[in-house]
Amino acid sequence: MKTFGHFDDQNREYVITDPATPFPWINYLGNEDFFGLISNTAGGYDFYKDAKFRRITRYRYNGVPMDAGGRYFYINDGGTVWSPGWKPCKTPLDAYECRHGMNYTRITGAKNGVEASVLFFVPLKTWAEVQKLTLRNTTNEVKTLKLFSFTEWCLWNAATDMENFQRNWSTGEVEIENGSTIYHKTEYKERRNHYAYYALTNAKADGYDTDRESFVGLYNGFEAPQCVMAGKPAMSLAHGWSPIASHYIEVTLQPGESKDYIFLLGYVENEQDEKFSQEDIARKQRGELISSQDSDVTLVNKKKAHAVIQRFATVEAVDAAFQELKEMWDGLLSKYTVTSTDERLNRMVNIWNQYQCMITFCFSRSASFFESGVGRGMGFRDSNQDLVGFVHQVPSRARQRIIDIASTQFPDGGCYHQYQPLTKRGNNDIGGGFNDDPCWLIFGTVAYIKETGDFSILDEMVPWDNEPGTEVPLFEHLRISFNHVVENLGPHMLPLIGRADWNDCLNLNCFSWDPNESFQTTENNSEGSKAESLMIAGLFVLTGKQYVELCQKIAKDEEAKRAQRCIDAMVEAVKKHGWDGDWYLRAYDFYGNKIGSKECEEGKIFIESQGFCTMAGIGLEDGMVEKALDSCKKYLDCEHGMVLNNPAFTRYYVEMGEISSYPAGYKENAGIFCHNNPWVIIGETVARRGNDAWDHYTKICPAWIKDQQLHKVEPYVYCQMVAGKDAAKPGEGKNSWLTGTAAWNWITITQYILGIKPTYDGIEIDPCIPSTLKEYTVHRELRDALFDITIKNPDGRESGVRSIVLDGSTIEGNVITATPGHHEVVVVM
Ligand code: BGC
Ligand code: NOJ
């Protein structure tokens, strides 16, 4: 079977050895404010905080060929023109390798005795991407090369950048400083106080270009820019049209010699009264600056850019910054590690699953090669789930995220479905009314407190809808979230679904016949609706139990009792009205008809309610949990994972909406929606079925992918969806990277399968593993406690702890307090 790469666990890298991957296989640069997406052929783009409002470089989606535009280097070696990343030139290379690591990518290409290796990363706390290019002459002759860099500016707002050309083609402006730094300053004169720059920091360029047409040529593509082909820059100055930044460097390399060039692609914000620089007027008169600005008085103040350029002007400084990034990741990945005989398990837990959790925490569902970055901000439910996979890495950032999310909530407990990361305001275009949203705030907050022991977050004063003066303690937001479900029950005393629950495409109150309407934002006709959700019922019981435990912990006993009564009532309602005989129903529709029932023509069983009701343990004592799990195996499972529903919908049901609009086997219509597979897996651990849990886990786990060509997308991260058994191509993956699958599989494997769960006081040890796993060790750091835990399973059991020895003494039970210091724990199953 053809492979395109392999894991290098030692270096925590995925190594791509063939540039023509079945789809661009990407990586993410940056982890705080300044971000980049980079493909294995150096395609992609950068932005500051918000992929829509602060797009720095331009990208074309769904282009022909795929993945056009990025950070390109061109080498003209005596008329042979090539790029280290193969694209865009596609000149056959003598060698190619792309190493995607933790927030960095190194792409190396070689041609005719020249090796070019580029390291891309964003230094910590820096608003810039570093590109360190190393050129090496591996021949016995002197080589003279013409090197060109290239990047294309986006006119800041990535949405209007792709549509408003009557305006855009007149607004572009740049400045050029000493030929080596190119500043992009479109609209800087007026309301913007930010600009971008592309600098060569450790050498002087021999030329430049800033106008796309002059550099590329109107009738050329990126693969053959006319300047590169001619071996000569045009020294162009952009006035409107499409401003770019390109350096031209003449390089001579002695036999065996290598040279490093450092490029910096950065972003700066200036204070309003320090936007412009008087000194630069004089510099311009001396010829040190070239500007396409209409007026000299509006030359940008470059002080901040200069400081960063200075900081990264030497190879030593760049290498030190890279080392710092690596050390940060050493730290982040040391909080939870497993050692077992299965290297696939080790690499998912120790490296890639954790890495993806950081990425989803940073980006939510905004910017990937499947999300254009213009459509979506941060989701309320998405971010609450993402932070649960990330909280052990940097708890303080998870804390801030919880406050930001809660600040967009409405006083009745409802929520804006999304908010923009730049403004942190709720997004009015999408609005609210997704009735699962409030529950997720409890889910996120409880995970934070269990990780940190920091109950003070509950006292943080948090506004409603960002309205100053409305602040109440965060705990109040949790109480109102809980109540939002209780106060919105339907005829069966089950939660009303509202606009939709977790499944955005089960639109029970939409009734749309208008193709110009978006299912997601069309009028919510839930007035008078009887549509109820079993998924929210299960979610409510699960997060409600967490809420009760929290209330008890902080001595709110009356509130705990009240909440418990609501949960008991919900459990009763599910047993009475939500059970279909062999599985849980999915919902009741607008009219009160069953969805996800044997009685239905299609879509007889859905995964979400099986996942949540089994996780919540509803009817465990009556055998409902096991029956539902068996039904998942029987009807939903296939070689590549469990599909969302079965049978798939084959026609449009107006009362169900978008779900029935998708072709069978794709997306929410019977695709393998990886996000909800772990719910059933956790359900399996509730039923103590370790072998089944493991079987489901490995089916969707990237490290177990056999056919890379079929899977198509990156084999090192989870994707949102793999085509299901009813699809044309079962097993084909789509929408990689930005999915709640990362966080859910993280807690599934670390807490429920390997069985090390944080609790308010410490850790609980409760493995539920395959009987073939005879021994493994986990290193877990929780607050100031360090645990080294060895789990022995001599009899090949699936669950159950027989004895625990803590620091040499046998203990009662399976919970260990997080007392500061190092602890050795030996567990026998
Ligand atoms: C997609 C969902 C997504 C929703 C909101 C739908 O078209 O299928 O996965 O959550 O849009 O953007
Ligand atoms: C993706 C969305 O981001 C998420 O919020 C939703 O729950 C799933 N799709 C399922 O529709």
Side-chain angles (χ1 to χ4, degrees):
M1 222 173 280
K2 183 162 170 51
T3 57
F4 298 84
H6 57 264
F7 289 98
D8 175 350
D9 296 337
Q10 203 62 44
N11 289 306
R12 298 192 194 120
E13 290 171 334
Y14 191 84
V15 189
I16 301 168
T17 48
D18 180 343
T21 45
F23 202 71
W25 286 1
I26 74 164
N27 192 15
Y28 285 85
L29 311 176
N31 50 51
E32 212 152 357
D33 292 331
F34 188 100
F35 298 109
L37 279 68
I38 183 164
S39 70
N40 59 307
T41 54
Y45 59 88
D46 284 350
F47 63 92
Y48 170 76
K49 278 192 185 171
D50 192 310
K52 177 173 179 178
F53 291 125
R54 287 294 182 278
R55 188 71 67 95
I56 295 169
T57 56
R58 182 174 284 162
Y59 192 72
R60 288 167 189 77
Y61 314 95
N62 199 9
V64 178
M66 186 64 195
D67 187 26
R71 326 112 166 104
Y72 290 145
F73 289 100
Y74 299 92
I75 294 162
N76 185 328
D77 177 4
T80 302
V81 175
W82 59 283
S83 293
W86 183 56
K87 281 185 72 176
C89 301
K90 293 205 326 193
T91 307
L93 300 175
D94 300 335
Y96 161 89
E97 184 185 84
C98 167
R99 288 179 171 262
H100 284 320
M102 306 290 105
N103 282 147
Y104 69 88
T105 286
R106 192 193 298 274
I107 299 179
T108 306
K111 184 80 188 166
N112 296 347
V114 176
E115 187 188 271
S117 189
V118 200
L119 171 68
F120 302 88
F121 72 103
V122 174
L124 300 182
K125 309 278 172 214
T126 304
W127 294 357
E129 173 186 318
V130 168
Q131 304 163 352
K132 179 184 158 199
L133 166 70
T134 307
L135 287 174
R136 199 156 64 85
N137 178 0
T138 58
T139 71
N140 295 327
E141 286 149 36
V142 178
K143 281 269 184 192
T144 43
L145 310 170
K146 290 168 176 174
L147 171 72
F148 296 83
S149 69
F150 174 83
T151 199
E152 184 178 8
W153 303 115
C154 177
L155 305 185
W156 304 120
N157 181 324
T160 56
D161 183 64
M162 283 293 163
E163 58 188 34
N164 197 2
F165 302 108
Q166 57 82 25
R167 183 174 192 273
N168 295 352
W169 284 344
S170 287
T171 60
E173 286 179 313
V174 298
E175 286 180 32
I176 305 160
E177 183 181 39
N178 298 326
S180 291
T181 305
I182 295 156
Y183 295 86
H184 174 229
K185 59 172 196 172
T186 300
E187 292 182 355
Y188 185 78
K189 180 177 68 180
E190 20 125 3
R191 295 170 304 171
R192 295 192 185 276
N193 65 349
H194 47 265
Y195 63 84
Y197 58 92
Y198 191 35
L200 170 63
T201 70
N202 69 335
K204 194 163 166 356
D206 299 299
Y208 57 81
D209 269 292
T210 65
D211 173 58
R212 192 180 77 206
E213 189 175 324
S214 311
F215 179 73
V216 178
L218 194 54
Y219 297 103
N220 295 37
F222 291 130
E223 74 287 353
Q226 62 189 17
C227 286
V228 176
M229 302 319 280
K232 205 162 128 345
M235 312 296 278
S236 57
L237 181 61
H239 292 276
W241 296 112
S242 293
I244 58 146
S246 170
H247 303 93
Y248 166 71
I249 306 157
E250 290 167 1
V251 184
T252 305
L253 291 175
Q254 300 302 320
E257 193 191 5
S258 77
K259 278 186 181 161
D260 295 302
Y261 294 94
I262 302 162
F263 298 85
L264 207 56
L265 182 58
Y267 170 86
V268 167
E269 281 181 2
N270 277 333
E271 303 309 314
Q272 189 58 30
D273 54 357
E274 300 202 341
K275 273 178 73 169
F276 305 111
S277 158
Q278 291 307 315
E279 297 149 37
D280 280 358
I281 299 174
R283 294 181 63 204
K284 193 176 171 202
Q285 277 155 4
R286 291 200 302 269
E288 290 166 22
L289 281 177
I290 303 168
S291 166
S292 62
Q293 189 94 40
D294 47 8
S295 146
D296 282 353
V297 267
T298 56
L299 294 169
V300 298
N301 181 346
K302 303 177 182 57
K303 230 185 252 154
K304 289 187 187 173
H306 287 163
V308 186
I309 292 169
Q310 277 284 269
R311 198 143 68 79
F312 297 105
T314 62
V315 170
E316 293 69 35
V318 166
D319 291 349
F322 184 55
Q323 194 51 37
E324 263 175 40
L325 175 68
K326 289 204 135 184
E327 280 160 17
M328 183 199 80
W329 275 104
D330 288 343
L332 293 182
L333 297 178
S334 66
K335 306 279 171 65
Y336 192 126
T337 56
V338 66
T339 311
S340 78
T341 46
D342 194 328
E343 61 171 12
R344 294 166 299 187
L345 171 66
N346 300 348
R347 76 167 60 106
M348 282 319 293
V349 171
N350 301 341
I351 307 171
W352 291 97
N353 196 167
Q354 296 206 53
Y355 181 52
Q356 190 176 2
C357 285
M358 161 69 96
I359 301 303
T360 57
F361 177 83
C362 290
F363 293 84
S364 186
R365 309 293 169 266
S366 67
S368 72
F369 273 29
F370 292 83
E371 300 277 10
S372 64
V374 297
R376 294 162 76 177
M378 313 286 284
F380 192 99
R381 73 158 87 92
D382 295 333
S383 290
N384 271 305
Q385 292 169 76
D386 294 341
L387 73 87
V388 170
F390 168 80
V391 62
H392 66 289
Q393 294 185 14
V394 193
S396 59
R397 288 181 67 190
R399 187 184 208 272
Q400 185 58 48
R401 180 63 56 79
I402 292 168
I403 306 293
D404 290 348
I405 301 170
S407 304
T408 66
Q409 195 175 23
F410 301 118
D412 73 348
C415 314
Y416 274 110
H417 198 45
Q418 288 176 20
Y419 71 97
Q420 282 306 127
L422 194 68
T423 59
K424 295 189 176 177
R425 295 292 147 123
N427 184 332
N428 274 315
D429 300 342
I430 289 123
F434 294 79
N435 282 352
D436 63 315
D437 271 337
C439 298
W440 296 110
L441 186 63
I442 298 175
F443 182 71
T445 308
V446 163
Y448 168 77
I449 301 175
K450 288 194 172 172
E451 182 66 35
T452 58
D454 170 20
F455 286 90
S456 77
I457 191 174
L458 297 172
D459 304 323
E460 277 299 323
M461 297 300 281
V462 181
W464 303 109
D465 192 6
N466 279 298
E467 194 53 46
T470 62
E471 293 81 0
V472 294
L474 179 68
F475 179 78
E476 196 55 17
H477 283 257
L478 301 192
R479 194 176 67 83
I480 298 221
S481 293
F482 181 87
N483 288 349
H484 189 267
V485 176
V486 179
E487 285 159 11
N488 288 282
L489 298 179
H492 300 98
M493 301 310 279
L494 293 167
L496 288 168
I497 200 167
R499 186 175 277 287
D501 61 23
W502 172 89
N503 189 335
D504 288 334
C505 301
L506 190 60
N507 313 121
L508 303 182
N509 297 307
C510 175
F511 296 95
S512 179
W513 281 113
D514 179 354
N516 302 322
E517 259 170 15
S518 153
F519 282 106
Q520 299 303 317
T521 52
T522 186
E523 198 192 335
N524 180 10
N525 294 306
S526 55
E527 196 71 30
S529 165
K530 295 180 184 163
E532 299 170 298
S533 162
L534 267 303
M535 182 267 162
I536 304 183
L539 174 66
F540 173 77
V541 173
L542 186 78
T543 56
K545 285 182 182 171
Q546 296 180 328
Y547 178 68
V548 168
E549 192 194 3
L550 176 65
C551 289
Q552 287 165 342
K553 194 73 202 161
I554 57 176
K556 290 192 191 291
D557 293 333
E558 282 311 306
E559 176 63 355
K561 280 186 201 142
R562 176 192 75 95
Q564 188 58 51
R565 284 193 294 273
C566 300
I567 295 166
D568 294 343
M570 187 68 75
V571 168
E572 279 319 301
V574 173
K575 288 188 182 177
K576 192 151 169 223
H577 301 293
W579 182 247
D580 200 50
D582 289 310
W583 57 80
Y584 305 92
L585 290 177
R586 175 63 176 85
Y588 285 96
D589 73 8
F590 184 94
Y591 309 105
N593 296 324
K594 291 176 183 171
I595 292 189
S597 157
K598 289 187 176 114
E599 295 162 25
C600 300
E601 188 190 325
E602 301 183 308
K604 291 173 190 285
I605 171 171
F606 279 71
I607 200 169
E608 302 99 326
S609 43
Q610 314 319 319
F612 270 96
C613 294
T614 60
M615 279 196 279
I618 299 175
L620 182 64
E621 59 292 345
D622 310 324
M624 288 159 78
V625 167
E626 293 214 359
K627 261 195 185 165
L629 295 167
D630 288 341
S631 297
C632 290
K633 254 197 268 175
K634 188 160 169 202
Y635 300 104
L636 302 178
D637 202 21
C638 73
E639 187 192 343
H640 306 285
M642 284 174 281
V643 300
L644 194 147
N645 54 298
N646 183 261
F649 297 105
T650 55
R651 64 174 178 88
Y652 179 50
Y653 297 78
V654 69
E655 71 280 14
M656 289 194 224
E658 187 164 0
I659 189 167
S660 60
S661 73
Y662 289 130
Y666 291 96
K667 292 285 294 176
E668 281 89 344
N669 184 16
I672 297 160
F673 222 86
C674 300
H675 188 149
N676 48 39
N677 275 235
W679 302 343
V680 174
I681 303 174
I682 296 175
E684 290 285 3
T685 68
V686 171
R688 321 305 286 148
R689 309 195 318 189
N691 286 331
D692 293 321
W694 182 252
D695 186 46
H696 289 307
Y697 172 76
T698 58
K699 276 187 180 171
I700 61 162
C701 194
W704 270 262
I705 290 167
K706 283 187 228 87
D707 190 340
Q708 295 188 344
Q709 184 89 52
L710 171 67
H711 186 75
K712 201 171 170 88
V713 293
E714 297 88 336
Y716 38 91
V717 290
Y718 285 101
C719 50
Q720 182 207 50
M721 190 221 42
V722 173
K725 54 185 175 180
D726 308 280
K729 231 188 208 184
E732 184 181 67
K734 283 183 190 157
N735 199 356
S736 48
W737 284 99
L738 302 185
T739 163
T741 313
W744 273 102
N745 273 297
W746 171 252
I747 59 173
T748 298
I749 186 65
T750 59
Q751 299 186 18
Y752 292 92
I753 295 180
L754 299 176
I756 314 296
K757 289 194 194 80
T759 68
Y760 288 120
D761 301 313
I763 54 165
E764 185 190 324
I765 301 181
D766 188 16
C768 188
I769 55 174
S771 43
T772 48
L773 187 55
K774 293 290 171 56
E775 181 168 329
Y776 60 97
T777 62
V778 170
H779 174 79
R780 177 66 158 103
E781 298 178 9
L782 186 82
R783 306 169 212 166
D784 296 323
L786 279 77
F787 298 101
D788 276 304
I789 307 160
T790 303
I791 312 246
K792 299 186 176 182
N793 183 22
D795 301 339
R797 301 183 171 205
E798 291 177 67
S799 71
V801 166
R802 272 193 286 178
S803 68
I804 297 182
V805 176
L806 167 67
D807 297 327
S809 325
T810 306
I811 61 157
E812 284 296 312
N814 64 343
V815 177
I816 303 177
T817 313
T819 40
H822 181 251
H823 305 285
E824 291 286 343
V825 186
V826 179
V827 179
V828 179
M829 289 177 68

